[in-house]
Structures are given as structure tokens and as C-alpha cells.
Amino acid sequence: MKKKILAAVLSMVLVVSLTACGNAKEETGGEAPAVEEAAEEEEPQNTAEAEGEAPAAEETEAETETETAEEFNPDTETDTIPYAELEEKFGPVPEVTGEVTIGGILKNNANEAWLTMADGMEKAAEDFGVSVDIQATRTETDTAGQLSIAETMLANEYDSLVLSPLTNDNLNGAVQTAVGNGTPVVNMNCEYIAQCNTFVGGIQIEIGRKSADYIAEKIGGKGKVAILEGVSGTFTSIQRVNGFLEGMEKYPDIEIVASQTADYEVEKGMDVASNILTQTPDIDAFYCCNDNMALGAVEALRSVNKVGEVIVVGVDGTGDAYASIKKGEMTATVDQFLFDNGYAAVEVALRIMGGQELPKVVSTPIEVLDADNMAEFGK
């Protein structure tokens, strides 16, 4: 049976401009003084001497670099290494000398997923003997506020930045300045940055694929499914939805009856799910692009006495999600092991500061966890 919203979603995807996260192998800052054995960096050379020709050549080179950057997508990048293999290939994290402060910017200071990631960053800072200043906006739509935080961190001259941008481009101005100053930039989870050194996080499109297979198995390969999307137009939401739709192509007897945004929020998730239940009371499953919206869907089901009867799958692996799963409310969550993701991002920042040239993507694990297997992962 044809997916009713596939064409609409694919049209949206064509409109979205994907920026990229470069490997930043050309660095402009000399030595990284805070880390032992940091590799010296050469100053860029300008060999063009003819004044008439140089500007045109520089413009062409810049355009080429921009085109190359825009082709990068962490979900499809081949220059990738799993985090679990990092130490085997690159050795231990270089030892820190002196005072090192890493600036961390998250998407949200209320969502449990981001707070968990912050905990991982702080643990890494403790283990490696550095300081980390973690800040965030109150909502996942305050792009101007997030940029202001980044600009303040630049003024404070932190040794490295670990950034989770709200969109693929809202921090570009600050990142451009950081790169020009030779400050390493690690892009942590979800949306990505054109000029970062390395992206650290889960493969977002795979989250959707895994969710599709899980839901299809739970409902016997046929039925009606609704999607609760995240913030409209963001890479994370788009990729999680795309992966789900791609996965559902294998199941022609499953109908996608709705796909609507709920901005990763519990209350909006409840409202959207309630509207969908009104229109399609015989729905079989909700696929929600984060756990907050999944918890909202549970509340919508509670209002019609269908908790536990309809499959509800979220994403992130938050404590609230696991508590709901244990009660038999939510069915499953796609855990991104966000504590480990935050830890890995700080570790990668220190490796870059120590002169290690890492791949463009350091991928962190993702797994579908439910009541049957969550104990295996200590949940």
C-alpha cells in the first residue's frame, strides 16, 4: 500500500540545504600549547603574486571548498571510524599540560537527552584533567541565542569548542572565526557544521531504519503508523524520518497515515498524537523522533484508554523513556547512549588538540531497546 506522505516528505528534503562538516586538515593556528606533543601547523602559503589574477583564483578555490563541504553528510560519509576503534588506531589521548578549557554548546538545557550528554562531557573533563563550560538555549528553536553563546565563548578564548548546533548553519559565523583562530571545533550529535574538524555522534538515518524494522515486526508487517517529526527542516528530523520511510518500503501492507511536526516537546507530542487518534482511531503504532514526543503520545493514548495497546517508539534513550517502558506504556526507544556520546566528543577534542588527524566522522552506537533487552545494556 502506498505511503500517503512519502511524496510530501521527499519534497521537503529537496528543499533542505545540507551543509557539511569538513575534516579541517588545514589548520591555521601553530602549536596546540596545552597538549603534549602537539603537531606544529604550517601557515597557509600564498604563491599567487600577480595582483590581477590572484583574486579570481582565490574566489575559485573558495567556491570549490564550499561545494566540497556541501557534499558532506555524516550519515553517508565514508571517512568514518566507530568510537570503539579510536584508541586502537590512534593510541591514547595525548596528556594535557597546563589549564585547558573546552566550551560546550548544547541544543537545550531542559531536555533530559542533552543533560545526559552534558554529564558525559563533564565526566570526560574530569578523567582527562580539563575544564568544560557547558551552555545551552532554553528551546531548540532559539538560533540567535545559541549563536550569542558561541560568540561569547570565542571572546573568552576557550581552547576548543564542542558544538551541537540547532541547524546546519546557525553557528557558521562563530565557527568561521574559531577556525581562523586555530581553535579546534568538534561537532557533537545531530545537526552538523561545514567547517568542523570532526563530527561525533550516531548515524541518524539508521535510527529511522532500525525503528521501521522494529515496528513492522511488532505489528506483524501490516497496519497503520503515524510519525511525529522533530523541528521542521532540521537535519536530525529529516534523516530520522527518511530512514523510517526507507525502511517501510519493505513493508507494502503498512500505511503511513500521518507525519506531523511536534518540535521534540512532550506537550506538542501529546497534542499532535491526539489529533491523529481522532482522525485514525485504529492506528497501530507511533514512531516519534525523540522520547519527549513519544511520552506525549503515551499521554494521548491514555486519554482514550489505549496505553499499551498501540506501539510507541521514541529516540534517545532517556531515563523517563525507560521508566515508561518498564510500566508497559512506551514500547521501545532507540538509544543513542548519549552519555557516551558526550564523553567521546570531549575525548575527540583533546585528540585533535594533540595533533591527531581523525576521520571526518566518529560514529557512536545506536540500539533499539525495549523491555526484553534493556537489562543487557544496564537500563
Side-chain angles (χ1 to χ4, degrees):
M1 191 177 295
K2 247 182 167 181
K3 310 297 181 292
K4 293 184 177 180
I5 51 77
L6 179 57
V9 174
L10 293 178
S11 297
M12 178 184 71
V13 175
L14 291 175
V15 176
V16 178
S17 173
L18 298 179
T19 57
C21 170
N23 198 26
K25 292 184 178 178
E26 264 186 39
E27 300 178 355
T28 58
E31 294 189 7
V35 182
E36 289 184 356
E37 299 181 0
E40 291 190 1
E41 301 158 357
E42 295 181 359
E43 293 293 329
Q45 301 296 315
N46 181 5
T47 56
E49 297 180 356
E51 293 183 0
E53 296 295 326
E58 290 173 359
E59 181 178 353
T60 302
E61 183 178 350
E63 290 173 353
T64 302
E65 290 175 355
T66 300
E67 290 171 2
T68 301
E70 289 176 351
E71 292 173 0
F72 173 72
N73 179 333
D75 282 6
T76 58
E77 176 60 47
T78 57
D79 185 18
T80 301
I81 185 171
Y83 172 61
E85 299 176 10
L86 207 55
E87 185 163 358
E88 179 182 353
K89 183 168 183 179
F90 292 95
V93 178
E95 292 184 9
V96 171
T97 57
E99 294 184 3
V100 172
T101 301
I102 296 174
I105 302 180
L106 306 182
K107 286 186 175 185
N108 190 299
N109 64 3
N111 186 327
E112 183 191 338
W114 294 104
L115 295 177
T116 301
M117 203 172 298
D119 289 342
M121 295 174 67
E122 289 172 348
K123 180 64 168 100
E126 178 184 344
D127 287 351
F128 295 117
V130 300
S131 298
V132 61
D133 176 18
I134 302 172
Q135 300 185 39
T137 52
R138 297 191 64 181
T139 70
E140 296 196 20
T141 55
D142 186 7
T143 54
Q146 194 184 51
L147 177 60
S148 177
I149 293 171
E151 290 171 340
T152 299
M153 287 186 173
L154 285 171
N156 290 334
E157 298 183 346
Y158 291 151
D159 298 288
S160 181
L161 297 177
V162 175
L163 308 177
S164 295
L166 292 172
T167 70
N168 288 350
D169 56 12
N170 73 291
L171 296 183
N172 280 0
V175 172
Q176 178 97 22
T177 301
V179 171
N181 293 339
T183 303
V185 176
V186 172
N187 182 188
M188 182 175 69
N189 197 278
C190 301
E191 274 60 46
Y192 56 88
I193 301 169
Q195 294 182 319
C196 74
N197 295 72
T198 299
F199 175 92
V200 181
I203 303 304
Q204 299 301 303
I205 199 166
E206 190 63 22
I207 289 172
R209 293 168 182 158
K210 286 179 178 287
S211 299
D213 287 336
Y214 180 86
I215 287 175
E217 180 181 354
K218 285 293 183 180
I219 65 176
K222 60 182 179 180
K224 298 178 180 180
V225 178
I227 302 170
L228 269 60
E229 305 172 17
V231 175
S232 180
T234 58
F235 174 78
T236 304
S237 182
I238 290 169
Q239 292 299 85
R240 290 177 185 179
V241 172
N242 282 351
F244 189 77
L245 294 174
E246 178 185 311
M248 278 298 172
E249 286 299 310
K250 298 182 291 186
Y251 308 103
D253 293 329
I254 296 178
E255 179 183 7
I256 308 297
V257 297
S259 185
Q260 299 178 24
T261 61
D263 291 342
Y264 297 126
E265 297 178 9
V266 176
E267 186 174 350
K268 289 184 180 180
M270 180 177 65
D271 291 342
V272 171
S274 294
N275 291 335
I276 293 171
L277 284 166
T278 299
Q279 298 168 4
T280 313
D282 59 340
I283 196 165
D284 296 287
F286 283 102
Y287 165 57
C288 308
C289 287
N290 85 337
D291 286 337
N292 280 350
M293 296 186 295
L295 293 167
V298 167
E299 293 309 308
L301 289 167
R302 197 185 310 281
S303 69
V304 293
N305 297 315
K306 287 189 175 182
V307 173
E309 297 179 16
V310 177
I311 301 298
V312 180
V313 175
V315 177
D316 283 336
T318 64
D320 287 342
Y322 282 116
S324 182
I325 292 170
K326 290 174 182 177
K327 293 177 184 177
E329 300 172 341
M330 274 181 63
T331 312
T333 181
V334 186
D335 200 329
Q336 295 195 81
F337 305 100
L338 296 175
F339 181 94
D340 297 335
N341 194 163
Y343 191 103
V346 170
E347 177 183 330
V348 165
L350 293 172
R351 288 180 178 277
I352 294 170
M353 290 172 63
Q356 295 180 2
E357 291 191 4
L358 304 182
K360 290 183 180 179
V361 173
V362 175
S363 63
T364 52
I366 53 172
E367 296 285 349
V368 182
L369 271 60
D370 60 13
D372 294 331
N373 70 349
M374 56 195 293
E376 299 175 22
F377 296 87
K379 304 296 183 178

